[in-house]
Coordinates of all heavy atoms in Angstrom, one line a residue:
S8 N 4.4 -1.9 23.8 CA 5.3 -0.9 24.3 C 5.8 0.1 23.3 O 6.0 1.2 23.5 CB 6.5 -1.6 24.9 OG 6.1 -2.5 26.0
H9 N 6.1 -0.4 22.1 CA 6.5 0.5 20.9 C 5.7 0.2 19.7 O 5.3 -1.0 19.5 CB 8.0 0.1 20.7 CG 8.9 0.4 21.9 ND1 9.2 -0.6 22.7 CD2 9.6 1.5 22.3 CE1 10.0 -0.1 23.7 NE2 10.3 1.2 23.4
P10 N 5.5 1.2 18.9 CA 4.7 1.0 17.7 C 5.5 0.3 16.6 O 6.7 0.3 16.7 CB 4.3 2.4 17.3 CG 5.4 3.2 17.8 CD 5.8 2.6 19.1
V11 N 4.7 -0.3 15.7 CA 5.4 -0.7 14.4 C 6.2 0.5 13.8 O 5.7 1.6 13.8 CB 4.4 -1.3 13.4 CG1 4.9 -1.4 12.0 CG2 3.8 -2.6 14.0
R12 N 7.3 0.2 13.2 CA 8.1 1.3 12.6 C 7.4 1.6 11.3 O 7.1 0.8 10.5 CB 9.6 0.9 12.4 CG 10.3 0.5 13.6 CD 11.7 0.1 13.4 NE 12.6 1.3 13.1 CZ 13.1 2.1 14.0 NH1 12.8 1.8 15.3 NH2 13.8 3.1 13.7
P13 N 7.2 2.9 11.0 CA 6.5 3.3 9.8 C 7.1 2.8 8.5 O 6.5 2.4 7.6 CB 6.5 4.9 9.9 CG 6.6 5.2 11.4 CD 7.4 4.1 11.9
D14 N 8.5 2.9 8.5 CA 9.2 2.4 7.3 C 9.0 0.9 7.1 O 9.1 0.5 5.9 CB 10.7 2.8 7.4 CG 10.9 4.3 7.1 OD1 10.0 5.0 6.8 OD2 12.1 4.7 7.3
R15 N 8.9 0.2 8.1 CA 8.7 -1.2 8.0 C 7.3 -1.5 7.2 O 7.3 -2.4 6.3 CB 8.6 -2.0 9.4 CG 8.4 -3.5 9.2 CD 8.5 -4.2 10.6 NE 8.1 -5.5 10.5 CZ 8.9 -6.5 10.0 NH1 10.2 -6.3 9.6 NH2 8.5 -7.8 10.0
L16 N 6.3 -0.7 7.6 CA 5.0 -0.9 6.9 C 5.2 -0.6 5.4 O 4.7 -1.4 4.5 CB 4.0 -0.1 7.5 CG 2.6 -0.2 7.0 CD1 1.6 0.1 8.2 CD2 2.3 0.7 5.8
T17 N 5.9 0.5 5.1 CA 6.0 0.9 3.7 C 6.9 -0.2 2.9 O 6.6 -0.5 1.8 CB 6.7 2.3 3.6 OG1 5.9 3.2 4.2 CG2 6.9 2.7 2.1
V18 N 7.9 -0.6 3.5 CA 8.8 -1.6 2.9 C 8.0 -2.9 2.6 O 8.2 -3.5 1.6 CB 10.0 -1.9 3.8 CG1 10.7 -3.2 3.3 CG2 11.0 -0.7 3.7
M19 N 7.2 -3.3 3.6 CA 6.4 -4.6 3.4 C 5.4 -4.4 2.3 O 5.2 -5.4 1.5 CB 5.9 -5.0 4.7 CG 6.9 -5.3 5.8 SD 6.2 -6.6 7.0 CE 6.3 -8.1 6.0
V20 N 4.8 -3.3 2.2 CA 3.9 -3.1 1.1 C 4.6 -3.1 -0.2 O 4.1 -3.6 -1.2 CB 3.1 -1.7 1.3 CG1 2.2 -1.4 0.1 CG2 2.2 -1.8 2.5
T21 N 5.7 -2.4 -0.3 CA 6.5 -2.4 -1.5 C 7.0 -3.8 -1.9 O 6.9 -4.2 -3.1 CB 7.8 -1.6 -1.3 OG1 7.4 -0.2 -1.0 CG2 8.7 -1.5 -2.5
Q22 N 7.4 -4.6 -1.0 CA 7.8 -6.0 -1.2 C 6.7 -6.9 -1.7 O 6.8 -7.6 -2.7 CB 8.5 -6.6 0.0 CG 9.8 -6.0 0.4 CD 10.4 -6.6 1.7 OE1 9.6 -7.2 2.5 NE2 11.6 -6.3 2.0
A23 N 5.5 -6.6 -1.1 CA 4.3 -7.4 -1.5 C 3.9 -7.0 -2.9 O 3.6 -7.8 -3.7 CB 3.2 -7.2 -0.5
S24 N 4.0 -5.7 -3.2 CA 3.6 -5.2 -4.5 C 4.5 -5.8 -5.6 O 4.1 -6.2 -6.7 CB 3.7 -3.7 -4.5 OG 3.5 -3.1 -5.9
K25 N 5.8 -5.8 -5.3 CA 6.8 -6.3 -6.3 C 6.6 -7.8 -6.5 O 6.6 -8.3 -7.7 CB 8.2 -6.1 -5.7 CG 9.3 -6.5 -6.7 CD 10.7 -6.2 -6.2 CE 11.7 -6.6 -7.1 NZ 13.1 -6.4 -6.6
A26 N 6.3 -8.6 -5.4 CA 6.0 -10.0 -5.6 C 4.8 -10.3 -6.4 O 4.7 -11.2 -7.2 CB 5.9 -10.7 -4.2
L27 N 3.7 -9.5 -6.1 CA 2.5 -9.7 -6.8 C 2.5 -9.4 -8.3 O 1.9 -10.0 -9.2 CB 1.4 -8.9 -6.2 CG 0.9 -9.4 -4.8 CD1 0.1 -8.3 -4.1 CD2 0.2 -10.6 -4.9
Q28 N 3.4 -8.4 -8.6 CA 3.7 -8.0 -10.0 C 4.4 -9.2 -10.7 O 4.1 -9.5 -11.9 CB 4.5 -6.7 -10.1 CG 3.7 -5.4 -9.8 CD 4.6 -4.2 -9.9 OE1 5.3 -3.9 -9.0 NE2 4.4 -3.5 -11.0
E29 N 5.4 -9.7 -10.0 CA 6.1 -10.8 -10.6 C 5.2 -12.0 -10.8 O 5.5 -12.8 -11.8 CB 7.3 -11.2 -9.8 CG 8.4 -10.1 -9.7 CD 9.5 -10.4 -8.7 OE1 9.4 -11.4 -7.9 OE2 10.5 -9.7 -8.7
E30 N 4.3 -12.2 -10.0 CA 3.3 -13.3 -10.1 C 2.2 -13.0 -11.2 O 1.5 -13.9 -11.5 CB 2.7 -13.7 -8.8 CG 3.7 -14.1 -7.7 CD 3.2 -14.3 -6.3 OE1 1.9 -14.2 -6.2 OE2 3.9 -14.4 -5.4
G31 N 2.2 -11.8 -11.6 CA 1.2 -11.4 -12.6 C -0.2 -11.2 -12.0 O -1.2 -11.1 -12.8
L32 N -0.3 -11.0 -10.7 CA -1.6 -10.8 -10.0 C -2.0 -9.3 -10.0 O -3.2 -9.0 -10.0 CB -1.5 -11.3 -8.6 CG -1.3 -12.9 -8.5 CD1 -1.2 -13.3 -7.1 CD2 -2.5 -13.6 -9.2
I33 N -1.0 -8.4 -10.0 CA -1.3 -7.0 -10.3 C -0.4 -6.5 -11.3 O 0.6 -7.0 -11.6 CB -1.1 -6.2 -8.9 CG1 0.3 -6.2 -8.4 CG2 -2.1 -6.7 -7.8 CD1 0.5 -5.3 -7.2
T34 N -0.8 -5.3 -11.8 CA 0.0 -4.8 -13.0 C 0.8 -3.5 -12.7 O 1.4 -3.0 -13.6 CB -1.0 -4.5 -14.1 OG1 -1.9 -3.5 -13.7 CG2 -1.7 -5.7 -14.6
R35 N 0.8 -3.0 -11.5 CA 1.5 -1.8 -11.1 C 2.0 -1.8 -9.7 O 1.7 -2.7 -8.9 CB 0.6 -0.6 -11.3 CG -0.7 -0.7 -10.4 CD -1.6 0.5 -10.5 NE -2.7 0.5 -9.5 CZ -3.4 1.5 -9.2 NH1 -3.1 2.7 -9.7 NH2 -4.4 1.4 -8.4
H36 N 2.9 -0.8 -9.4 CA 3.4 -0.7 -8.0 C 2.4 0.1 -7.2 O 1.7 1.0 -7.6 CB 4.7 0.1 -8.1 CG 5.2 0.5 -6.7 ND1 5.7 -0.5 -5.9 CD2 5.3 1.7 -6.1 CE1 6.1 0.1 -4.8 NE2 5.8 1.5 -4.9
V37 N 2.2 -0.4 -6.0 CA 1.2 0.2 -5.1 C 1.9 0.7 -3.8 O 2.9 0.1 -3.4 CB 0.0 -0.7 -4.7 CG1 -0.8 -1.0 -6.0 CG2 0.4 -1.9 -4.1
T38 N 1.4 1.7 -3.1 CA 1.9 2.3 -1.9 C 0.8 2.4 -0.8 O -0.3 2.4 -1.2 CB 2.5 3.6 -2.1 OG1 1.4 4.6 -2.4 CG2 3.5 3.7 -3.3
P39 N 1.2 2.5 0.5 CA 0.2 2.6 1.5 C -0.7 3.8 1.4 O -1.9 3.7 1.7 CB 1.1 2.7 2.8 CG 2.4 2.1 2.5 CD 2.6 2.4 1.0
H40 N -0.2 4.9 0.9 CA -1.1 6.1 0.8 C -2.2 6.0 -0.2 O -3.2 6.7 -0.2 CB -0.2 7.3 0.4 CG -0.8 8.6 0.8 ND1 -0.9 9.0 2.2 CD2 -1.4 9.6 0.1 CE1 -1.5 10.2 2.2 NE2 -1.8 10.6 0.9
M41 N -2.1 4.9 -1.1 CA -3.1 4.7 -2.1 C -4.4 4.2 -1.5 O -5.5 4.4 -2.1 CB -2.6 3.8 -3.2 CG -1.5 4.4 -4.1 SD -0.6 3.2 -5.1 CE -1.9 2.7 -6.2
W42 N -4.3 3.7 -0.3 CA -5.6 3.3 0.4 C -6.3 4.6 0.9 O -7.6 4.6 0.8 CB -5.3 2.5 1.6 CG -5.1 1.0 1.4 CD1 -6.0 0.3 0.8 CD2 -4.0 0.1 1.7 NE1 -5.6 -1.0 0.7 CE2 -4.4 -1.1 1.3 CE3 -2.8 0.3 2.4 CZ2 -3.5 -2.2 1.4 CZ3 -2.0 -0.8 2.4 CH2 -2.3 -2.0 2.1
R43 N -5.6 5.6 1.2 CA -6.3 6.9 1.6 C -7.0 7.5 0.4 O -8.0 8.0 0.5 CB -5.2 7.8 2.2 CG -5.8 9.1 2.6 CD -4.6 9.9 3.4 NE -5.0 11.3 3.7 CZ -5.7 11.7 4.7 NH1 -6.2 10.8 5.6 NH2 -5.9 13.0 4.9
H44 N -6.3 7.4 -0.8 CA -6.9 7.9 -2.0 C -8.2 7.2 -2.3 O -9.1 7.7 -2.8 CB -5.9 7.7 -3.2 CG -4.7 8.7 -3.1 ND1 -3.8 8.7 -4.1 CD2 -4.4 9.6 -2.1 CE1 -2.9 9.6 -3.7 NE2 -3.2 10.2 -2.6
A45 N -8.1 5.8 -2.1 CA -9.3 5.0 -2.4 C -10.5 5.3 -1.6 O -11.6 5.4 -2.1 CB -8.9 3.5 -2.2
V46 N -10.2 5.5 -0.3 CA -11.3 5.9 0.7 C -12.0 7.3 0.2 O -13.1 7.4 0.2 CB -10.8 5.9 2.1 CG1 -11.8 6.6 3.0 CG2 -10.5 4.6 2.6
A47 N -11.1 8.2 -0.1 CA -11.5 9.6 -0.4 C -12.4 9.6 -1.7 O -13.5 10.1 -1.7 CB -10.3 10.5 -0.5
T48 N -11.9 9.0 -2.7 CA -12.5 9.0 -4.1 C -13.9 8.2 -4.0 O -14.9 8.6 -4.6 CB -11.7 8.4 -5.2 OG1 -11.2 7.1 -4.8 CG2 -10.5 9.3 -5.4
N49 N -13.9 7.2 -3.2 CA -15.2 6.4 -3.2 C -16.2 7.1 -2.3 O -17.4 7.1 -2.6 CB -14.9 5.0 -2.5 CG -14.3 4.0 -3.5 OD1 -14.7 4.0 -4.7 ND2 -13.2 3.4 -3.1
L50 N -15.8 7.7 -1.2 CA -16.8 8.4 -0.3 C -17.4 9.6 -1.0 O -18.6 10.0 -0.8 CB -16.1 8.8 1.0 CG -15.9 7.7 2.0 CD1 -15.2 8.3 3.2 CD2 -17.2 7.0 2.4
L51 N -16.5 10.3 -1.9 CA -17.0 11.5 -2.5 C -18.1 11.3 -3.6 O -18.8 12.2 -4.0 CB -15.8 12.2 -3.2 CG -14.9 13.1 -2.3 CD1 -13.7 13.6 -3.1 CD2 -15.7 14.3 -1.8
K52 N -18.3 10.0 -3.9 CA -19.3 9.7 -4.9 C -20.7 9.8 -4.2 O -21.7 10.0 -4.9 CB -19.1 8.2 -5.4 CG -17.9 8.0 -6.2 CD -17.7 6.6 -6.6 CE -16.4 6.4 -7.4 NZ -16.2 5.0 -7.7
T53 N -20.8 9.6 -2.9 CA -22.1 9.6 -2.2 C -22.2 10.6 -1.0 O -23.3 10.9 -0.6 CB -22.4 8.1 -1.7 OG1 -21.3 7.7 -0.9 CG2 -22.6 7.2 -2.8

């Protein structure tokens, strides 16, 4: 009936990023838009 709230998605990615940094599994803050960057840069190689 209603879509997920956009800000909820961003907040959850931020919270996951912070938790993973505290656990030492990743070394930087990540955002949802970085997936778009990853797709673009990888496809441009081929």
Side-chain angles (χ1 to χ4, degrees):
S8 298
H9 300 90
V11 166
R12 300 181 76 81
D14 285 356
R15 178 174 175 80
L16 186 151
T17 300
V18 166
M19 295 206 74
V20 171
T21 299
Q22 291 174 346
S24 174
K25 185 177 180 181
L27 290 167
Q28 283 178 283
E29 291 174 352
E30 295 170 16
L32 297 175
I33 63 175
T34 59
R35 60 174 183 164
H36 173 70
V37 296
T38 67
H40 203 69
M41 290 166 69
W42 274 306
R43 182 170 170 85
H44 290 184
V46 169
T48 52
N49 283 314
L50 287 179
L51 279 173
K52 294 175 183 178
T53 53

